[in-house]
Every structure is written in structure tokens, then in C-alpha cells.
Amino acid sequence: HFHSTFSQASFMSYYSAISPWEIVVNEVSFVRKCIGADSSHGDLWGKLICTNFKVSFITHDALPKQRFQVANRLLGEHDVPLACVEQVVTVNDAKGKQKVLCSNQKLKFNPTELILYCKDFRIIRFRFDEAGPQSAKKVCLAIAHYSQPADPQLLFGFEYVGKQYYGSLGERVNGVDPGGGLQMPLFDRPSEWDREIKRTGASEWRVCSINEGYVVSPSLPEYVVVPVSLADQDLKQYLCFFTAHRIPLWCWNHPNGSALVRMASISDPLQQRKLDQRICSAITKSHPQRSDVLKSDLDKNLPNIQDIQAAFVKVRHICVIEPFEESEEKWLSSMESSRWLEYVRAFLKHSAEVVYLLEGKHVSVILQEEEDRDLSCVVSSLVQLMLDPHFRSLTGFQSLVQKEWVMAGHRFLHRCNHLKKNDKEESPLFQLFLDCVWQIINQYPAAFEFTETYLTVLSDSMWIPVFSTFLFNCPQQRTENSMDFAKSKCIPMGEEKALRFPPVWDWSQQFTPKDQALFNNPMYVGKGATCVQNGTVKSFRRTKKNYSSTLRGMPSSLRNILMDGHDSLTLTRRNSLVPRLKPDFSQIREVVESPTERFFRDWVSRPADLQGMLIPQLLPSHLALWRLYFLRWVPEASIPKGGPVTAYHKLSQLADEVEKLQSQLRQYKGATPASTPTSNPSAPPSDHSRMYFKAGSTHEPSSIPEYLSSSFPFSPVGNMCRRSILGTPLSKFLNGAKTWLSTETLANEAL
């Protein structure tokens, strides 16, 4: 009965689940997807398919209705992108064997089970008890092979863009321009840098095009911003002394004239002092008060990428692999020993110190790193986020990531390890940054237009290999590889230099307008928000009376939590952070406070201005584990009808009701809908609400819906199946492993 039912019910869903630009590599029928770890009750039967894009499971069975689950337009409910697969493990119960499959390896036993360990922390299990053994083996080998491409051009994004957007004559298919409708800068043209210069009032800086065509440095964008006093000819003379020819990059200007600049190390020690003086002199001339320039050596002051990767692996192990039955004290102790939150604090603390120099001392700051492509991305972004409310809006935040990560040449291809070639190059710098952003949101929830759901989905998008944002090490690599790919596939490029990959910021590629509403924070107090005063709808403007009542000042006895009594960012003192970055708060000294301490004490003693500078509080009690990101797939950690989503649900309904009342008030006053600052021209005409949960809807009652949980809008059902019944518990295999499992640990494999 199952066989006939599946073939009839799944025929249409099979073809609708595989997109026209995908290629089916292998498939196997009569597969059981495990839902529960302890029994087969509730498991799903269906067909397991490997394409050149994803692992897809097609079933006619249905999980309990979960109306909240985000539906990705590129992925089905049971799909996993191949780029998201961390490890492929095959099991044979009868022989008691397990094997971690790598690309182009042989498998000498017929698998009875397949376990996929995913980069987004999921563990997914499939059983082959009723499946053909040879078909099961082939699909396992195909998944292992296609999840570890040998070349960037084998990543699915090339096939996707080539087939979806370009016809046989090189014309845009259906006139589609990937990313062309975005209302945000991509910083790939001089005019967008010019607008950012004008927005920040950086009148003594200019757009420089000496890297046009990437002739100077392959890892820099084609257009960079430099001091007006530095001529192109001078820069061409200096560039050979910088690592990878990466000349200093302007990031942002403070309203007081101070500039934030990032710079690679000077490779020639003999030229160090002379170049430092020339660069600092040019930056000083750009400041209206001719203030000093201070340099921060990030390599000496912050954890390195290997330490960050090691901490991330430990957190993944603690959150996902280790059993939750153990005591809370032991779990918290394990979390502390991972050092992940310690590193989060280190980056937030260092960024706050830079904020003090720019805001409090009115001096310009240079962030120096060996190649200026990793740690500086995190710090420069956090500094701007703390100082500039524009970057706390959704569009502003996306432009910040585009500017400081994508265009500045962060090695997403290597740091994400998309090609699985070099584990030493892998490091979750971007996830660390998003965690830092979440910590600030957690302390100042009304200051950000976007939600933690948005941050989580943004992180997940790193593993969908179709977006230019996360596929390459730098813009030049995208151009070079796409030109080669177009030539090999005979795709006429016309006047274009390279294939145009869609950026991740075009969220319509992945989500409906309804699901995109989950990105909107109902508490946001920004320049575009509206309020009602004396019966009149007004655009929000910050006044001294508009403060957040939810934020409290800090006791003066704890005034040293940010600076630990030191001013670390000077040219002579670059090593202010103690080795483990753990100040001893039990010994609070009564000493004469430094200007830095006084600055932060004065700031925390006042109510927070949500449209001004924001400094996170950094005592251990102020930092928390980002539960939605780390624990969303763990059934034991899921709280039914609990967690932050309960407040989000109520606040969204209230915000929606306020919007409706404002709309009625505007109609009463005779105003047109187009005049409201919150109207969204891209939203459907029938529904202008920004909120996911609507007020006064029969479908969304005022009480908390049964389907909500702390994992919202994700579900652990079928996405977290630890293999706890058959064989040895997985945690025993993972002790000391650098990834999920290690071939050295699984000594009983038949190689």
C-alpha cells in the first residue's frame, strides 16, 4: 500500500520540488526520514534525491501542521543545500561500521543509515531498511561528492545564474536583473561611495579609482575612499609596501570630523615609520581640528581566527551533541570553557574603546590587521553600528555588511570552507559579528529595525550558494570566475564584465512578503517611525524627552567594565587586553578614574538615546547565549508557547493595531496614504502592515497560538535526530574532534 500511495501522491511534488536549473544526480526510493531519536514512531517515508544543489526528501506524509515555519522559495521543507552539509556519515548496523564519506571515496559496505551533519547545527538521519542497497550507496556517495566541490565554478550559483538569468544570446531572461531592484548601495560604483561621503559629511575625502579593473590589488574593491590630500600618484608609490597592496580604506566619518580607517600591515619594516607618518598626516589634514590619529593593532589585541573557530566548534558540540540531561551548572561551565562568549565580549569591548576615541577624544582611528580582511571587518562594523543609527535600520545594516565585508574582501569562500579544502582557513567571523550584533539588540531592543530572526536567516543564507554576497573571497574573484564560466558554457556576456549573481539582500529570492515581515521589529524607534501627538500624526524626531525607560544606568562601582582601567588604543600601548580577557570584577579599586572611565560612566548614567551612540554593557551577566541561533533545533531546549516570541507576538499585534489607527486618523484628517512615512511602496496594495502577526484577525487570536515556541520561526522536528539508540552515542566520537566527527576516531572503518 505504501509503494503505490507514494508513487501516485509524490509524482507531481517530485517535479515541483526540483527546479528547472537543477540536475538530479542520484535518487533512492522507500527511504525513512527519522523524526524521533528513540523510536520510529512519526517517521516519514519518501524518496531521497541528490541534485547538484541540494539533498531533497520528497514525501507524501505530513508533519503536524506548523503554520509558523518559514517557507524558503529555493528550498522545500525537507531540503538541505549541499553547501550546508558539513559531514556525511554512513552506517551499517549489521557490521557495526561507520564511515565519514569524503569526495571520490569508495564505500565497501551497503549503508543502512545516512547521517547529515549540517553547518546550521542540524543533524538529519535517513534509514534505508526498505531501500535498494545499491541505490542507497550511490546516493550517499553522490551527496558526499557534490557537497565537496573541487572548484569555485562547481558551486551551484554559477549554474543557477547562467541558466536563470541569461538566454542563449546573452539577453536577460524575462528582463530579470538580479539585484537590480534593490533600494540600497552595493558600493560597486563611484556614485554610491560619493553618496556615503556626503551622508557622513566627509568633505575632505574623495573616491579614488586607481584599482579600476583590479589592476592595483585583486582583493580591494575597484573604488576606494582616500584623503583629498593624497594624490593617486602618491598612493601608487605607497601600495607596494602594504600587504597584498591593500592601501588604507576609509570606513566612516564622525560628525565631529574624526575618521575610521582600516589598513593592512606595512610589509617593509624600513618603510614603516615613513609611511605611518605620511598616512597619518593625510588623515590629520582631513580633520577640521587637525586632531591626532591613533592606531589599533587588531592582531595583537584580539583572538585570532583559529581561536575563534575552536570556540565555535566547542559551542556547537555543547549545544547540539552533548545530552541535555546533565546539570545546568555543568552545561554553563562547559559553555564558559568554550570561550565563545569571552571572544564576543572581547570584540564588543575593543569596538567600544574605538568608539570612545572617535566620540570622546575626537581623534581618528586606524584599524590595522595583517591583511585587513578578517578582524577589521568585525570591529569596523561594530563601531559604526554603535555610533551611527543609520546602520541600525534594515537597509543601513545591509549596506554596512556590503561595504565592510563583501567589498572590503572578506574571504567568505575560505572562511565558510565552501570547497572543504582547508579546515585551517575556516573561521566563523561573520557568525561572531552577528552574535555581537544580537548582544547589542538584546540590550537595546528598540534601537534596531530588524529582528534576531533576520540575523539568523542571514546567517543561514551563507549556505545557499547562489548569492554573490557569500560565495567569493573578493569582488575580483567573482568577476574572474564568472568570466571563465561564461566562456566555458558559451554564455554571451554582451557589454557586461561578468555574470551578475543576485545579492542576498534581494530577499524576494527566498521569501514571500508575508515571511519577510518577520524581519521587522515592532519596537523600533527610528527616524522613519511615526507617533501621534495632540491628535496629529508626526514623523518621529528625537528629543531629550524621548528615552527608553527599559534601560537602566550602571552602578558607579562597576564603571570600569568597559575599559578595565586602561586606555588601550594608542600607538605605544597596543596590548591592553589581558590574555584571557577576563577582568577580575571582585576587586573593584577606588582609584582616580581615567578620562575613558569617566566618559563611559557619564554615558551609562544617562538614559540611552536610541538615535544616538549605543555602548553595550559587558559584565558577564549582561552577555547571553544567542538561543535562537544555537538552540533552535534542539527539542529539549524548545519552550512551547514561551521565549521571546511571546513578547514579539503581542508587540506585533499592538504595532499593527497602531498602524491601522494611524491610517484611519489620516483618512479622517484627509491625508493621502502615500504621505505616511511608514508606507512601503513594494508591499501588496491590500496590506500595508509591516507586522507578521496582525491585530483583530480571526486567524491570529489575541492569546498565544499553540504552534509558537522559543524556536520560532524554526522547528526542531525532523531536524535534530541524535543517534542515541544504535551503537555508541555520538558525543563519545566527538571528544577532541575538530569537526563533527573525525576519521581518526572512527577506527573501525573499512577504508
Side-chain angles (χ1 to χ4, degrees):
H1 172 73
F2 159 73
H3 295 177
S4 60
T5 304
F6 175 76
S7 60
Q8 294 169 11
S10 301
F11 182 78
M12 293 305 295
S13 62
Y14 170 85
Y15 286 103
S16 62
I18 307 301
S19 61
W21 47 86
E22 284 181 78
I23 300 170
V24 175
V25 180
N26 259 304
E27 59 187 61
V28 55
S29 299
F30 316 129
V31 175
R32 177 159 56 91
K33 181 181 180 181
C34 300
I35 299 301
D38 299 327
S39 71
S40 60
H41 179 71
D43 288 355
L44 306 179
W45 288 89
K47 176 179 285 191
L48 184 64
I49 304 167
C50 175
T51 76
N52 59 338
F53 170 45
K54 67 194 179 192
V55 179
S56 189
F57 181 72
I58 311 297
T59 179
H60 73 286
D61 297 333
L63 289 168
K65 192 173 183 181
Q66 299 168 4
R67 292 163 49 208
F68 65 86
Q69 189 164 15
V70 173
N72 194 304
R73 287 173 162 174
L74 297 175
L75 298 166
E77 185 178 4
H78 302 285
D79 292 351
V80 180
L82 289 167
C84 189
V85 175
E86 177 90 45
Q87 283 192 332
V88 180
V89 179
T90 51
V91 180
N92 183 287
D93 296 331
K95 296 184 178 181
K97 292 184 176 181
Q98 301 189 51
K99 182 176 178 63
V100 179
L101 283 182
C102 298
S103 182
N104 295 319
Q105 273 193 334
K106 292 182 179 180
L107 184 58
K108 293 188 176 180
F109 58 80
N110 292 327
T112 56
E113 183 174 349
L114 169 67
I115 309 174
L116 299 180
Y117 295 88
C118 304
K119 293 183 176 182
D120 62 2
F121 286 33
R122 284 184 289 173
I123 301 176
I124 303 175
R125 293 171 55 213
F126 299 99
R127 296 284 303 177
F128 301 124
D129 303 289
E130 303 291 331
Q134 289 302 312
S135 297
K137 180 188 287 189
K138 286 179 180 178
V139 83
C140 290
L141 291 169
I143 292 170
H145 178 73
Y146 280 85
S147 64
Q148 302 175 53
D151 185 87
Q153 292 178 36
L154 295 176
L155 291 164
F156 178 69
F158 286 89
E159 201 74 33
Y160 175 80
V161 172
K163 285 186 176 180
Q164 186 172 16
Y165 294 116
Y166 295 89
S168 59
L169 300 177
E171 77 279 7
R172 295 283 171 79
V173 178
N174 299 324
V176 174
D177 180 4
L182 286 180
Q183 300 299 313
M184 58 161 284
L186 295 177
F187 295 102
D188 58 355
R189 58 192 68 182
S191 59
E192 292 174 336
W193 287 105
D194 269 325
R195 278 196 291 271
E196 185 66 5
I197 289 172
K198 290 184 176 71
R199 189 189 71 81
T200 59
S203 58
E204 295 300 313
W205 296 79
R206 66 179 180 89
V207 180
C208 171
S209 59
I210 63 170
N211 198 40
E212 203 165 28
Y214 309 104
V215 295
V216 165
S217 174
S219 64
L220 286 178
E222 288 191 278
Y223 308 101
V224 296
V225 177
V226 299
V228 168
S229 61
L230 273 182
D232 286 0
Q233 196 58 39
D234 295 330
L235 290 167
K236 289 176 181 178
Q237 290 178 357
Y238 301 158
L239 64 89
C240 62
F241 300 115
F242 289 95
T243 302
H245 291 184
R246 288 181 64 90
I247 56 176
L249 299 177
W250 172 87
C251 301
W252 181 79
N253 247 56
H254 193 284
N256 65 28
S258 301
L260 179 66
V261 180
R262 48 192 289 182
M263 185 175 83
S265 296
I266 297 170
S267 53
D268 187 347
L270 299 176
Q271 299 292 328
Q272 175 82 43
R273 184 166 183 174
K274 183 171 70 173
L275 273 181
D276 268 340
Q277 288 177 343
R278 290 183 179 178
I279 297 300
C280 290
S281 174
I283 296 173
T284 296
K285 289 177 182 177
S286 72
H287 197 293
Q289 277 80 47
R290 300 296 190 263
S291 293
D292 291 338
V293 179
L294 300 182
K295 188 188 295 182
S296 170
D297 192 327
L298 302 184
D299 291 317
K300 292 184 179 180
N301 283 331
L302 291 169
N304 60 42
I305 63 169
Q306 290 81 18
D307 291 338
I308 295 167
Q309 170 68 1
F312 189 72
V313 169
K314 288 178 183 176
V315 170
R316 180 171 61 189
H317 187 172
I318 294 164
C319 292
V320 176
I321 301 299
E322 290 185 352
F324 265 64
E325 291 77 22
E326 297 177 358
S327 68
E328 182 181 3
E329 290 79 9
K330 184 175 180 180
W331 194 86
L332 292 172
S333 176
S334 299
M335 184 60 63
E336 183 181 7
S337 67
S338 74
R339 305 185 70 180
W340 176 258
L341 284 176
E342 180 184 328
Y343 293 159
V344 168
R345 178 184 181 271
F347 278 89
L348 286 169
K349 177 180 181 292
H350 198 85
S351 301
E353 293 173 336
V354 175
V355 165
Y356 160 68
L357 294 175
L358 292 165
E359 170 88 12
K361 297 192 73 173
H362 294 202
V363 299
S364 296
V365 178
I366 297 175
L367 305 176
Q368 184 162 6
E369 185 188 8
E370 178 65 29
E371 291 191 357
D372 179 38
R373 302 177 70 178
D374 289 308
L375 310 182
S376 54
C377 298
V378 182
V379 175
S380 65
S381 300
L382 289 175
V383 170
Q384 292 171 73
L385 200 70
M386 293 178 191
L387 283 170
D388 192 338
H390 168 69
F391 295 125
R392 303 196 284 264
S393 68
L394 183 61
T395 301
F397 181 78
Q398 294 181 163
S399 69
L400 177 68
V401 174
Q402 183 71 22
K403 175 168 66 83
E404 298 298 330
W405 293 79
V406 181
M407 298 310 291
H410 179 66
R411 293 187 180 88
F412 278 109
L413 182 68
H414 287 166
R415 299 297 176 252
C416 296
N417 205 10
H418 285 317
L419 304 183
K420 314 285 197 308
K421 280 187 174 181
N422 190 348
D423 291 343
K424 292 181 180 179
E425 292 282 337
E426 185 174 0
S427 187
L429 270 300
F430 192 66
Q431 290 95 323
L432 178 86
F433 165 66
L434 295 180
D435 199 331
C436 291
V437 175
W438 179 82
Q439 300 290 341
I440 306 175
I441 291 178
N442 196 39
Q443 294 185 26
Y444 305 101
F448 291 81
E449 186 179 16
F450 47 90
T451 61
E452 64 171 331
T453 297
Y454 167 79
L455 294 178
T456 308
V457 169
L458 178 58
S459 178
D460 290 347
S461 299
M462 297 171 71
W463 316 122
I464 302 178
V466 300
F467 305 115
S468 60
T469 315
F470 302 125
L471 270 187
F472 305 101
N473 287 332
C474 58
Q476 184 270 347
Q477 188 186 47
R478 176 186 63 83
T479 301
E480 182 181 359
N481 277 275
S482 62
M483 287 177 65
D484 292 344
F485 180 82
K487 187 180 295 185
S488 67
K489 298 291 184 179
C490 299
I491 300 174
M493 295 303 299
E495 297 180 358
E496 293 192 356
K497 296 179 182 178
L499 295 177
R500 294 195 59 177
F501 289 76
V504 72
W505 319 122
D506 181 7
W507 290 107
S508 64
Q509 297 264 338
Q510 295 191 67
F511 303 108
T512 64
K514 163 72 173 175
D515 285 343
Q516 289 180 59
L518 286 169
F519 299 168
N520 299 326
N521 177 12
M523 291 187 287
Y524 177 56
V525 178
K527 290 182 179 179
T530 58
C531 58
V532 180
Q533 295 179 357
N534 300 325
T536 304
V537 179
K538 296 182 178 180
S539 185
F540 183 90
R541 291 293 180 268
R542 171 61 59 194
T543 67
K544 291 183 179 179
K545 294 181 181 179
N546 293 119
Y547 289 122
S548 169
S549 61
T550 62
L551 302 168
R552 298 189 297 274
M554 188 187 306
S556 59
S557 60
L558 299 177
R559 60 179 173 254
N560 63 340
I561 64 167
L562 282 161
M563 304 305 297
D564 298 336
H566 298 291
D567 291 337
S568 67
L569 294 180
T570 64
L571 283 168
T572 56
R573 297 187 61 196
R574 299 178 183 172
N575 212 8
S576 66
L577 299 182
V578 292
R580 291 184 60 82
L581 298 159
K582 286 188 176 180
D584 184 2
F585 296 109
S586 62
Q587 300 176 0
I588 298 175
R589 299 164 297 168
E590 290 299 328
V591 296
V592 178
E593 64 181 1
S594 68
T596 311
E597 291 176 315
R598 189 180 309 116
F599 174 82
F600 286 114
R601 176 176 60 79
D602 291 345
W603 186 84
V604 298
S605 67
R606 300 190 302 268
D609 179 355
L610 300 184
Q611 280 295 297
M613 179 180 69
L614 293 181
I615 303 294
Q617 300 185 47
L618 298 177
L619 276 174
S621 59
H622 292 133
L623 299 184
L625 180 72
W626 184 8
R627 290 178 57 92
L628 184 66
Y629 179 78
F630 289 106
L631 299 177
R632 57 188 154 144
W633 310 118
V634 181
E636 299 93 331
S638 182
I639 307 170
K641 299 176 70 172
V645 67
T646 56
Y648 178 80
H649 171 253
K650 291 288 187 185
L651 288 166
S652 296
Q653 290 184 320
L654 285 171
D656 183 62
E657 188 171 4
V658 169
E659 284 185 18
K660 289 178 179 176
L661 290 172
Q662 288 172 342
S663 178
Q664 293 173 9
L665 188 59
R666 278 189 294 271
Q667 292 176 8
Y668 177 77
K669 293 287 186 181
T672 60
S675 65
T676 170
T678 55
S679 64
N680 181 4
S682 63
S686 60
D687 184 8
H688 289 285
S689 174
R690 296 172 61 252
M691 295 299 107
Y692 184 80
F693 296 107
K694 306 294 190 290
S697 169
T698 56
H699 302 292
E700 303 290 351
S702 57
S703 60
I704 300 172
E706 292 291 331
Y707 57 81
L708 289 188
S709 76
S710 58
S711 294
F712 174 89
F714 309 95
S715 171
V717 178
N719 289 317
M720 181 54 63
C721 286
R722 304 183 187 85
R723 193 169 180 271
S724 58
I725 300 298
L726 302 172
T728 309
L730 283 173
S731 57
K732 302 301 181 187
F733 287 110
L734 285 160
N735 290 331
K738 299 227 171 169
T739 53
W740 292 91
L741 297 168
S742 71
T743 49
E744 291 80 5
T745 306
L746 300 176
N748 62 345
E749 292 181 2
L751 298 176

